[in-house]
Structure formats: structure tokens, C-alpha cells
């Protein structure tokens, strides 16, 4: 069973890409929405939450855990990797594909304050900032919008515009989505970015899902037939993405959804992410 967690519903953007590759697996997803947002909280606080969540997911039968939260990955994945006898897959800030693909030589990174301070992000930034300019902005209020299910409309556009426009104004043509909540605001971001020269948004979720498949194969957690099927889906999906084709809808998996707070928002977003 694959365990997935986030501070809230944002990790569903990662779960979707995982289920696309592994539709027959069993899942347990935990939204720690009683303690959301994590963005400004201390690494110690987040590590405590991650410990508690790991215990819950393991008690439900998870044999691998995806930390579908950039902030939790930055604050605590090294700690929980030392403390628990289970594999954790974390989020990677997608600076590399952005830096390699920019034409203007400026890339923007939208993430939480915690992620932007994390050593993983700072290391990947320093690897690429010789070749391009990297500008950053916290997505102020983005997590709250997604948790409230306000993904579009004038309020969402105003909130998104306040953090995205300063990045676009620097000439950034590629924006890294460094928080798993943000892909849910992509249509709104595209509306805000209208009028700017071609802007590409990079979501690391498909790469994280591919990495999970490789690790599960290595760990003996995936049978040969499922692994072959997943790799065939990777090829087909990447081809479709490269050609700008719409991807097929992802059917709802066999899943237990857990929220530490009110589950209504999580359940509502889940229904929009997965085909019935
Ligand atoms: N979805 C989150 C992330 O990827 C958490 C954001 C938050 O709780 O502030 O960072």
C-alpha cells in the first residue's frame, strides 16, 4: 500500500500522477489540514507532524510513503528517513528542467517560505544560477485558496496575481511550481500570465511519480507486470505531454482518505481530480 501525505489537499496533485502510473495499487492519503499551512512553521514542528503522520500511515499498512509536500520534504525528510524503517519519496524543486528550458534566461520559483529556505532548494539553485537568473516569490495565500476550493474567479486571480506578476515582470518565461497546492491554480495562473510572452509552468509531480515507480521496483514492492505497465504509461504520457495533447482522465483508485481536520474540502477536491 502506498501512503501519501501533505499539509492539506495539495498532495492530490501528486497522487494523481502516481495513480496515472499505478492505477491498481492500494492507497492511503492523509491531509494534515488541522495543522495547515506548514509554510511558515518551524522545521521542528513539521518534523513532529511528519512523525505522527508516518505512524498513522504505517499503521494503515503503507509500505512506502510519498511526502507530497515540498515544505515537509525540505523541513523533515532527512529526519524521518533516519527514524523510520520505511522508504520515503520526497518532492524535488524542479529548478533543473526550468533552467535548461528558459529562453529569456530568467526563471521564477513559486514556493512556500519554508521550501525557499530549505537546503535542497538552495543547493539546486546554486547549481544553476550561473547559467540563468532565478527569481523567487512565496505564493502568498495560494494554499488557503486551494484549501477553500477557490481555484478560479476574481478573488483567486487577485491573490495569484500579487505573487505571480512580480516574477513575470522580471522577464521570467518559466515558472517552477514549488508547492503541491499550486498546480490546482494553474488555469488562474495562465489567465494572470496572459499578455506576457510564452510562459511555461513546471510541476514536478510527474517526475516524482516516475521516481516512485523506480524505487518500488528496486525495493521489490512492484510486480514485473505492473512495472512494465507503468513504464509503458510513462512513455505514452511523456509523448502526449511533449505534443501538447490532453491526457486521459485518471480513474479514482482504491483509497482511504484521512483528514486531521474537516474532510469536506479534501473530498470535494478529490472528486474533481479523479474520474468517477
Ligand atoms: N503543499 C505544500 C507544499 O508543497 C504545503 C504548503 C503549506 O502547507 O504551506 O509545500
Amino acid at each position: 500500500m502506498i501512503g501519501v501525505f501533505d499539509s492539506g489537499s495539495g498532495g492530490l496533485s501528486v497522487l494523481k500522477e502516481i495513480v496515472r502510473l499505478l492505477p491498481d495499487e492500494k492507497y492511503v492519503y492523509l491531509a494534515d489540514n488541522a495543522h495547515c499551512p506548514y509554510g511558515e512553521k518551524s522545521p521542528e514542528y513539521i518534523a513532529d507532524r511528519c512523525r505522527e503522520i508516518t505512524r498513522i500511515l504505517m499503521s494503515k499498512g503503507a509500505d512506502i510513503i510519498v511526502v507530497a509536500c515540498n515544505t515537509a520534504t525540505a523541513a523533515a525528510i532527512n529526519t524521518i528517513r533516519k527514524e523510520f524503517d520505511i522508504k520515503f519519496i520526497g518532492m524535488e524543486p524542479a529548478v533543473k528542467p526550468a533552467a535548461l528550458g528558459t529562453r529569456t534566461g530568467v526563471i521564477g520559483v513559486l514556493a512556500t517560505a519554508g521550501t525557499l529556505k530549505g537546503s535542497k532548494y538552495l543547493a539546486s539553485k546554486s547549481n544553476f544560477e550561473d547559467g540563468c537568473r532565478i527569481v523567487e516569490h512565496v505564493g502568498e495565500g495560494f494554499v488557503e485558496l486551494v484549501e477553500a476550493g477557490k481555484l478560479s474567479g476574481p478573488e483567486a486571480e487577485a491573490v495569484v496575481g500579487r505573487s505571480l506578476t512580480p516574477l513575470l515582470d522580471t522577464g521570467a518565461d518559466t515558472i517552477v511550481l514549488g508547492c503541491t497546492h499550486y498546480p490546482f491554480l494553474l488555469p488562474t495562473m495562465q489567465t494572470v500570465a496572459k499578455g506576457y510572452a510564452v510562459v511555461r509552468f513546471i510541476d514536478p509531480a510527474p517526475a516524482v511519480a516516475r521516481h516512485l515507480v523506480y524505487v518500488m521496483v528496486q525495493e521489490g514492492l512492484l510486480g514485473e507486470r505492473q512495472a512494465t505497465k507503468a513504464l509503458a504509461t510513462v512513455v505514452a504520457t511523456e509523448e502526449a505531454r511533449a505534443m501538447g495533447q490532453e491526457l486521459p482522465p485518471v480513474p479514482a483508485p482504491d483509497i482511504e482518505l484521512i483528514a486531521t481536520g474537516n474532510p469536506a474540502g479534501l473530498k470535494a477536491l478529490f472528486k474533481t481530480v479523479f474520474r468517477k
Side-chain angles (χ1 to χ4, degrees):
M1 181 186 282
I2 301 173
V4 180
F5 78 90
D6 178 37
S7 63
S9 307
L12 293 178
S13 65
V14 183
L15 180 69
K16 180 182 185 178
E17 296 310 320
I18 297 172
V19 175
R20 193 188 294 289
L21 302 185
L22 300 171
D24 304 322
E25 289 296 305
K26 282 197 164 62
Y27 293 89
V28 52
Y29 180 96
L30 188 143
D32 194 17
N33 57 350
H35 305 92
C36 183
Y38 282 179
E40 306 274 342
K41 302 222 165 66
S42 71
E44 294 73 26
Y45 179 92
I46 296 172
D48 273 346
R49 293 307 310 145
C50 290
R51 287 185 185 103
E52 161 100 18
I53 294 165
T54 299
R55 281 186 210 107
I56 297 173
L57 296 178
M58 288 177 81
S59 76
K60 296 284 176 185
D63 37 30
I64 189 159
I65 294 179
V66 180
V67 184
C69 175
N70 295 72
T71 314
T73 301
I77 201 163
N78 292 339
T79 308
I80 52 177
R81 276 186 174 139
K82 280 187 212 130
E83 295 177 5
F84 291 90
D85 188 17
I86 190 166
K87 275 271 172 198
F88 291 96
I89 306 294
M91 298 302 299
E92 287 289 334
V95 175
K96 182 177 176 179
L100 297 178
T102 176
R103 296 215 176 121
T104 58
V106 187
I107 70 169
V109 179
L110 280 172
T112 67
T115 298
L116 294 175
K117 275 188 255 163
S119 57
K120 248 189 177 179
Y121 170 67
L122 293 174
S124 61
K125 183 181 168 187
S126 75
N127 278 341
F128 292 98
E129 66 190 347
D130 282 348
C132 64
R133 183 172 165 220
I134 303 177
V135 288
E136 297 150 359
H137 211 291
V138 170
E140 305 275 4
F142 289 23
V143 170
E144 290 78 0
L145 281 177
V146 175
E147 290 298 309
K150 294 179 186 164
L151 307 184
S152 58
E155 183 187 343
E157 280 169 33
V159 171
V160 166
R162 276 197 285 278
S163 298
L164 179 57
T165 310
L167 295 182
L168 300 173
D169 285 341
T170 64
D173 65 346
T174 310
I175 305 288
V176 175
L177 303 180
C179 167
T180 57
H181 280 76
Y182 299 176
F184 290 109
L185 295 166
L186 188 57
T188 297
M189 290 187 206
Q190 283 162 337
T191 304
V192 170
K194 258 185 207 147
Y196 287 87
V198 185
V199 180
R200 207 159 62 100
F201 293 90
I202 301 193
D203 174 5
V208 171
R210 289 196 297 274
H211 182 58
L212 171 69
V213 171
Y214 298 133
V215 173
M216 286 182 74
V217 169
Q218 273 171 4
E219 295 294 306
L221 293 172
L222 209 55
E224 209 179 304
R225 209 176 55 83
Q226 272 163 305
T228 310
K229 197 173 148 194
L231 294 178
T233 313
V234 168
V235 173
T237 311
E238 290 315 301
E239 237 171 59
R241 279 202 179 97
M243 293 172 71
Q245 289 166 356
E246 206 177 311
L247 299 179
V250 181
D254 178 348
I255 192 162
E256 181 177 359
L257 288 175
I258 303 169
T260 55
N262 184 342
L266 175 68
K267 288 188 176 158
L269 195 60
F270 182 84
K271 277 193 194 143
T272 71
V273 168
F274 294 101
R275 197 183 63 192
K276 274 174 224 84

